[in-house]
Amino acid sequence: MTDTVPPLPPDDLAHRLTEVFDLVGPLYRRVQRKVEQAAPIEGLSVGVRAVLDLLRENGPMTVPQMGRAQALSRQFVQRMVHDAAARHLVEITPNPAHQRSSLIRLTDDGRAAITAVLVREHALLGQVDGDLTDAEVTACVRVLTRMLALFDHVDVD
């Protein structure tokens, strides 16, 4: 017989999730700084890195699609796309489905740059101390996914 643990009451849950928020903010900012400090090889900002990774994962996308996927304003994504295009990491091509919203796609240089960043990040994340289990990481992802879903309606533009 397994003991099932009941869900937390809403007030207790809110207090525990506040602990998560208190960790996520500083973690995000430190990772952002680390990526930008470690990226001189590729010279990628965190914003350009996000654009390249989205394109690596999803194939060609429009700026509005990337903005929605990352909860970033179209204007910010557009600036990152222009930065990446100026460095020949992405190319802007006509979109047969929509005349006013071009498709952005990775170039070979862009694919090489994001691959190098991901390899370095993978090595860095492999250094996390502790005896974390797959179940613990799965639970963490589940919690963060639920928290993100709570704010799906927030307009980023």
Side-chain angles (χ1 to χ4, degrees):
M1 181 173 159
T2 60
D3 293 329
T4 59
V5 179
L8 288 172
D11 193 51
D12 293 345
L13 178 62
H15 285 293
R16 292 307 315 269
L17 293 179
T18 297
E19 293 178 58
V20 175
F21 271 122
D22 290 346
L23 292 171
V24 168
L27 173 62
Y28 174 77
R29 288 185 292 280
R30 288 179 186 174
V31 168
Q32 193 174 29
R33 280 193 292 275
K34 181 67 176 174
V35 168
E36 288 183 342
Q37 289 170 357
I41 301 164
E42 294 82 24
L44 301 181
S45 68
V46 171
V48 170
R49 180 231 178 269
V51 164
L52 298 183
D53 196 39
L54 268 176
L55 296 174
R56 179 194 62 81
E57 282 186 30
N58 301 296
M61 297 176 76
T62 65
V63 167
Q65 288 170 333
M66 286 187 270
R68 283 190 300 274
Q70 288 292 312
L72 295 168
S73 74
R74 283 190 318 269
Q75 293 83 1
F76 177 78
V77 174
Q78 190 68 58
R79 283 196 313 272
M80 296 304 102
V81 165
H82 284 304
D83 289 353
R87 299 187 53 219
H88 308 287
L89 301 173
V90 300
E91 61 183 0
I92 301 168
T93 61
N95 182 354
H98 194 285
Q99 283 187 336
R100 293 186 57 206
S101 193
S102 300
L103 281 175
I104 315 303
R105 75 177 74 242
L106 277 177
T107 63
D108 289 342
D109 287 348
R111 188 167 305 284
I114 191 60
T115 298
V117 167
L118 292 172
V119 166
R120 196 171 55 244
E121 288 174 1
H122 182 82
L124 181 63
L125 291 173
Q127 297 174 29
V128 170
D129 289 333
D131 54 355
L132 298 175
T133 67
D134 185 63
E136 290 171 319
V137 175
T138 298
C140 178
V141 169
R142 181 175 175 261
V143 168
L144 292 173
T145 300
R146 291 278 181 95
M147 292 172 73
L148 184 60
L150 177 64
F151 299 101
D152 271 350
H153 67 284
V154 175
D155 185 14
V156 295
D157 275 324

